[in-house]
């Protein structure tokens, strides 16, 4: 019984997140992911690789005046979350990240063995 | 244009895509509420507007207050994929945007400030002193 309640709480916590819009571009040596996370300061951004999953999370920090009364809100949740499955040829250990003006740029290189190799055709 | 995700296991992405396809757009200007998403609040001294528009520079915004209306416009450039690269998911808004907010009657348009931080444009429009409630002391 209590476990069910806990599970339900966790579930609502999971769903109470906005899904950041992303662009994903792949080139020969890896994948670049751009995620829109407006309102998230650098310190409140977290990027995890767990197994085959890449987990993006961020918490909004909008410094509105304490006595402000909200009259219209299109952004009414305080966090973002999105999970991507990484395919095997991507190297989750070498992810590099940059964050500027609310846009996260992640570079996920392809593993050495998955890099394209040019086969030289020998003349015989 | 919606690109199919490269990660077919993402069931939620698929559901959202289906929903987008079936919902249609009730407004001729496209799917409400438009870009960028906005939050508006008031204090006794100001109207606070937050526009969630990441990936811009402060100079790229055009913020105007005219006839009691606040207009925020600008253009977000599209990503340029390098030659030979593939765009698997392209969800980011790109192109020109414009949103308009009607302000209350008691605003002071000349004392409007705007700042851009972490991808959020914050516009603060001051309200006139007279409109602020004043406590009357009882003699």
């Amino acid at each position: 019984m209590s476990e069910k309640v806990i599970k339900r709480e966790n579930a609502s916590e999971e769903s109470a997140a906005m899904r950041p819009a992303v662009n994903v571009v792949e080139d020969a040596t890896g994948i670049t992911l751009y995620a829109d996370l407006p309102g998230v300061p650098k310190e409140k951004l977290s990027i995890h690789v767990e197994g085959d999953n890449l987990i993006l999370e961020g918490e909004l920090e909008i410094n509105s005046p304490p006595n402000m009364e909200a009259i219209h809100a299109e952004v009414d949740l305080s966090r973002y979350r999105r999970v991507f499955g990484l395919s095997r040829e991507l190297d989750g250990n070498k992810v590099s990240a940059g964050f500027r003006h609310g846009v996260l740029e992640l570079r996920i290189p392809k593993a050495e063995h998955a890099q394209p190799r040019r086969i030289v055709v020998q003349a015989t | 244009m919606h690109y199919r995700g490269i990660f077919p296991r993402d069931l939620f992405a698929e559901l959202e895509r289906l929903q987008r396809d079936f919902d249609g757009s009730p407004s001729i200007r496209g799917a409400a509420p438009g870009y960028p998403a906005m939050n508006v609040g008031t204090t006794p001294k100001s109207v606070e507007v937050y526009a969630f528009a990441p990936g811009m520079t402060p100079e790229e915004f055009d913020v105007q207050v005219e006839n009691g209306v606040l207009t925020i416009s600008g253009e977000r450039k599209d990503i340029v994929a390098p030659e030979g690269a593939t765009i698997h998911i392209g969800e980011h808004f790109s192109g020109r945007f414009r949103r308009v907010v009607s302000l209350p009657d008691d605003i002071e348009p000349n004392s409007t400030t705007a700042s851009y931080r972490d991808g959020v444009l914050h516009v603060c429009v001051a309200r006139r002193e007279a409109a602020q409630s004043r406590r009357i002391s009882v003699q």
Side-chain angles (χ1 to χ4, degrees):
Chain A
M1 178 71 183
S2 66
E3 201 177 78
K4 259 187 194 165
V5 173
I6 290 165
K7 267 185 191 157
R8 200 173 300 149
E9 274 175 3
N10 284 342
S12 68
E13 206 175 284
E14 292 278 303
S15 60
M18 293 179 287
R19 194 161 165 277
V22 300
N23 281 357
V24 175
V25 181
E26 176 168 7
D27 57 43
T29 58
I31 278 183
T32 310
L33 179 148
Y34 304 88
D36 277 357
L37 299 155
V40 178
K42 208 173 171 180
E43 317 81 65
K44 294 284 177 73
L45 174 73
S46 103
I47 305 149
H48 289 288
V49 178
E50 274 177 38
D52 283 343
N53 285 331
L54 169 72
I55 302 160
L56 305 183
E57 280 174 306
E59 264 177 66
L60 273 93
E61 201 176 88
I62 305 293
N63 295 317
S64 44
N67 58 342
M68 190 186 86
E69 197 183 321
I71 54 171
H72 175 79
E74 289 163 9
V75 176
D76 53 0
L77 293 173
S78 61
R79 57 191 282 263
Y80 295 96
R81 180 182 156 92
R82 194 159 175 183
V83 181
F84 293 95
L86 295 177
S87 55
R88 202 155 295 155
E89 80 274 17
L90 295 170
D91 194 341
N93 297 318
K94 289 191 184 145
V95 177
S96 57
F99 193 36
R100 195 176 146 77
H101 295 316
V103 180
L104 169 71
E105 180 177 343
L106 272 190
R107 178 70 187 170
I108 311 155
K110 288 180 187 173
E112 207 68 34
H113 65 83
Q115 300 271 356
R117 223 165 295 160
R118 193 181 159 83
I119 313 296
V120 181
V121 179
Q122 309 279 348
T124 51
Chain B
M1 194 189 298
H2 306 306
Y3 292 91
R4 256 171 177 277
I6 44 166
F7 309 119
R9 276 179 296 171
D10 191 344
L11 180 66
F12 292 106
E14 197 66 359
L15 283 173
E16 199 176 281
R17 188 185 65 80
L18 286 171
Q19 208 167 17
R20 268 199 308 249
D21 289 352
F22 284 109
D23 271 359
S25 300
S27 158
I28 198 164
R29 289 201 173 88
Y35 185 89
M38 294 214 295
N39 284 4
V40 183
T42 55
T43 73
K45 289 184 174 172
S46 64
V47 178
E48 313 278 337
V49 178
Y50 300 87
F52 294 77
M56 305 276 291
T57 59
E59 307 78 51
E60 288 174 315
F61 287 102
D62 183 16
V63 181
Q64 296 199 20
V65 180
E66 206 186 342
N67 299 328
V69 169
L70 167 70
T71 306
I72 295 170
S73 55
E75 182 171 6
R76 186 177 189 190
K77 292 177 197 81
D78 207 352
I79 49 157
V80 184
E83 210 177 313
T86 311
I87 299 176
H88 290 297
I89 307 178
E91 297 169 344
H92 283 188
F93 175 91
S94 66
R96 290 202 59 82
F97 59 81
R98 179 185 143 95
R99 288 206 71 182
V100 173
V101 180
S102 297
L103 297 166
D105 294 336
D106 59 5
I107 53 133
E108 200 66 77
N110 295 331
S111 44
T112 302
T113 57
S115 58
Y116 187 53
R117 195 181 142 201
D118 297 329
V120 179
L121 175 72
H122 174 204
V123 181
C124 174
V125 187
R127 302 173 82 173
R128 268 197 303 274
E129 197 72 30
Q132 291 160 31
S133 64
R134 216 169 292 158
R135 190 184 161 85
I136 314 294
S137 61
V138 179
Q139 305 287 333

